[in-house]
Amino acid sequence: MENEKSFGYTLLLGVCMIISLMLIGKMLLYRPAPVHTPIGQPNAEGAQQGQTEGEGSKNMWLGEDEVAQMIEQYLPEDFPAKGISVAISHNGSVCAKGTLYKDKLAGYLESGSAMRSALIFLPAQFELQADFTAACSTEGQLTLTPQRIAAGGIELPVSALSPALSGALNEAVNQALQEKYEGYRSVRLMDGALELHA
């Protein structure tokens, strides 16, 4: 009788351990559907930098690669992301991706945040993907508001994205546009490009 009880407890313990290991493995290996639905090919205007002139106005468009290079150039030196790429859609959405470095990221995260908690499951460097909505003020300032984020393929609540990270991104975009293209009045999003109106 004692042996049967001991065997039952051992079997129960083994089953619990197997279930725990399966759940941990699923959590580490889970890859949700992509956060960003790819947009179609950029139109001919948005594929490269260029400009057009209308009645007393001058318009310029910047392709996604150039926008990404500008952002990276104007981000703070200690910013934890490198290799930034962007996808721009005429519906007002911008998808940004970059490689984040865990050792540099900790300084940007508040204690107790969801992303700080997720760091223990992530490697030393991982991909962060964030979807933003973009709005342009009457002064030509772009504001990127996060809508969805995923770190290392794991989708996190939007609140996990530190305001310091999204704030640095917003500042870099606007500083780059103001310094490189002084005099523009507004920005319009196109498929694959930003169009600046002078």
Side-chain angles (χ1 to χ4, degrees):
M1 182 75 171
E2 198 65 38
N3 284 344
E4 285 179 10
K5 273 188 180 180
S6 176
F7 176 75
Y9 287 134
T10 305
L11 182 62
L12 182 60
L13 181 63
V15 169
C16 288
M17 285 180 65
I18 290 170
I19 291 172
S20 297
L21 288 171
M22 287 171 59
L23 288 172
I24 290 170
K26 182 176 180 181
M27 185 171 60
L28 292 175
L29 299 175
Y30 174 67
R31 296 287 184 263
V35 171
H36 176 71
T37 305
I39 59 174
Q41 292 295 320
N43 59 33
E45 280 188 314
Q48 57 186 333
Q49 178 179 342
Q51 54 190 29
T52 59
E53 293 186 28
E55 297 174 3
S57 69
K58 193 176 194 179
N59 299 337
M60 175 175 286
W61 59 89
L62 308 172
E64 293 169 337
D65 290 343
E66 185 168 3
V67 172
Q69 288 168 7
M70 284 189 334
I71 291 171
E72 196 151 0
Q73 180 185 349
Y74 280 82
L75 282 169
E77 282 186 23
D78 67 341
F79 195 75
K82 299 293 176 200
I84 292 173
S85 65
V86 296
I88 303 168
S89 177
H90 74 279
N91 66 6
S93 68
V94 176
C95 176
K97 292 182 187 178
T99 301
L100 257 71
Y101 296 86
K102 189 156 71 168
D103 57 339
K104 293 183 177 181
L105 181 60
Y108 276 82
L109 300 177
E110 297 149 9
S111 58
S113 71
M115 190 176 285
R116 187 182 275 274
S117 302
L119 284 181
I120 59 173
F121 299 108
L122 295 168
Q125 61 184 60
F126 58 92
E127 183 181 82
L128 180 74
Q129 181 172 336
D131 280 355
F132 299 90
T133 54
C136 183
S137 72
T138 53
E139 294 82 28
Q141 290 275 310
L142 267 180
T143 302
L144 301 175
T145 306
Q147 299 298 317
R148 299 176 74 189
I149 64 166
I154 301 170
E155 193 166 343
L156 298 173
V158 173
S159 59
L161 187 65
S162 165
L165 288 175
S166 55
L169 189 61
N170 271 294
E171 193 173 324
V173 168
N174 286 298
Q175 188 181 354
L177 291 175
Q178 286 165 8
E179 290 186 14
K180 284 180 168 281
Y181 306 100
E182 189 178 353
Y184 76 91
R185 294 191 319 271
S186 63
V187 182
R188 185 168 70 96
L189 276 71
M190 306 163 60
D191 285 342
L194 291 180
E195 184 177 35
L196 308 182
H197 298 264

